[in-house]
Amino acid sequence: FKQTLLLRSGVWVVDCSPAWTSAAPIMRGKPKRKHIRILLPLALVACSAAGTRFYSAVLQVAPNGGAGPTVTEHSNVLDEASEAGSQALAGVLMVFIAFPILWANEKRQAKMWALFGRARAMVRQNTPSIKIDRSNEGCLVHMKGRLTSQQELRDDLFQVKVTNAAKLRRSVEMYQWIESSKTVEQNTRTGGKEKVTTYSYSQGWKPYWIDCSQFKERGHDNPRELPCESCEQ
């Protein structure tokens, strides 16, 4: 049946039935705009939610040729409104939190500048580095020269030793599988959003261990741990 809403001097209710159709006014005069302004947005949100009930946030994994799995995530208009409200609330809280953080940072900066000024006043500049002067013990001194060391630094794992060096560093990297993702977001007709994330896999050198059990696609296995750890001495 076809329903018609007539708005002239008031609000009319139309009764549609198989046998007859009648219209009866329920309110005369000009409707209250205040009530309409409040109820109209709520009605729109309710209608949109009813029409997008099947757009709940779910994850669907589907193959995409050989490029890796594709994860599609749907959200309805209520989810987007909730996310926008959360972001707005977080923004308001950050504005209020920013003022004490800024004040604390400026206070710390002022203390550091005062400390630097005190150090500049008491520093002993151009101190000779050839010999040790006992009168400078416990003082702030400024000198320049070549750094030497008689200590021998060793790496027992790789049987490496160096002399006349201030530091020996071991940097470890492992060739392993790496998961990358690319997300494309687009709006839906019902006011929600659809996020399509495509995952791809490649191999490369990384200084840390990658847990392959968290990959979306199986078959890309990495060793359980690095063969050795990075260190320095």
Side-chain angles (χ1 to χ4, degrees):
F1 306 101
K2 183 178 180 182
Q3 298 181 353
T4 306
L5 183 64
L6 301 178
L7 292 177
R8 291 185 179 178
S9 60
V11 180
W12 291 73
V13 176
V14 180
D15 184 11
C16 297
S17 61
W20 51 272
T21 301
S22 63
I26 63 173
M27 185 178 67
R28 295 290 184 178
K30 189 176 182 180
K32 296 182 178 180
R33 296 182 179 179
K34 183 178 181 181
H35 294 168
I36 294 179
R37 291 177 182 177
I38 297 175
L39 295 178
L40 184 58
L42 297 178
L44 292 176
V45 172
C47 294
S48 299
T52 59
R53 188 175 301 172
F54 58 90
Y55 274 94
S56 57
V58 295
L59 295 179
Q60 299 176 350
V61 181
N64 187 19
T70 299
V71 178
T72 304
E73 181 178 358
H74 299 280
S75 61
N76 56 29
V77 65
L78 293 181
D79 296 331
E80 297 300 325
S82 177
E83 183 179 358
S86 301
Q87 293 177 356
L89 180 59
V92 173
L93 293 178
M94 290 180 63
V95 169
F96 285 101
I97 295 175
F99 289 102
I101 293 178
L102 181 61
W103 178 82
N105 182 66
E106 293 297 330
K107 183 178 180 180
R108 177 180 175 275
Q109 190 70 16
K111 289 183 178 180
M112 293 302 297
W113 278 110
L115 182 62
F116 291 154
R118 181 181 176 186
R120 181 179 298 177
M122 61 184 300
V123 67
R124 298 184 179 182
Q125 300 182 2
N126 300 324
T127 302
S129 60
I130 300 177
K131 62 180 181 178
I132 299 177
D133 189 355
R134 297 296 180 181
S135 62
N136 294 329
E137 189 71 23
C139 299
L140 181 62
V141 297
H142 175 266
M143 63 179 64
K144 59 181 178 179
R146 185 178 181 85
L147 179 63
T148 59
S149 175
Q150 301 299 326
Q151 184 180 3
E152 182 181 75
L153 302 179
R154 301 174 55 91
D155 189 340
D156 296 332
L157 181 61
F158 293 95
Q159 299 297 322
V160 175
K161 59 181 180 179
V162 293
T163 57
N164 195 21
K167 182 179 293 186
L168 176 61
R169 177 183 300 169
R170 180 206 301 166
S171 299
V172 179
E173 293 185 356
M174 185 170 64
Y175 193 74
Q176 51 191 327
W177 284 103
I178 304 170
E179 183 183 63
S180 303
S181 62
K182 180 180 179 181
T183 302
V184 178
E185 182 177 319
Q186 59 184 359
N187 298 326
T188 61
R189 297 180 180 179
T190 54
K193 288 186 178 181
E194 182 183 61
K195 296 180 181 180
V196 179
T197 304
T198 303
Y199 294 87
S200 59
Y201 299 89
S202 61
Q203 289 180 307
W205 293 95
K206 291 295 180 180
Y208 51 86
W209 173 67
I210 299 178
D211 187 6
C212 61
S213 63
Q214 304 298 325
F215 289 171
K216 296 296 182 181
E217 185 179 60
R218 302 301 179 184
H220 308 283
D221 299 329
N222 289 332
R224 295 186 177 181
E225 59 182 5
L226 293 174
C228 56
E229 299 293 335
S230 300
C231 65
E232 63 180 33
Q233 54 180 327

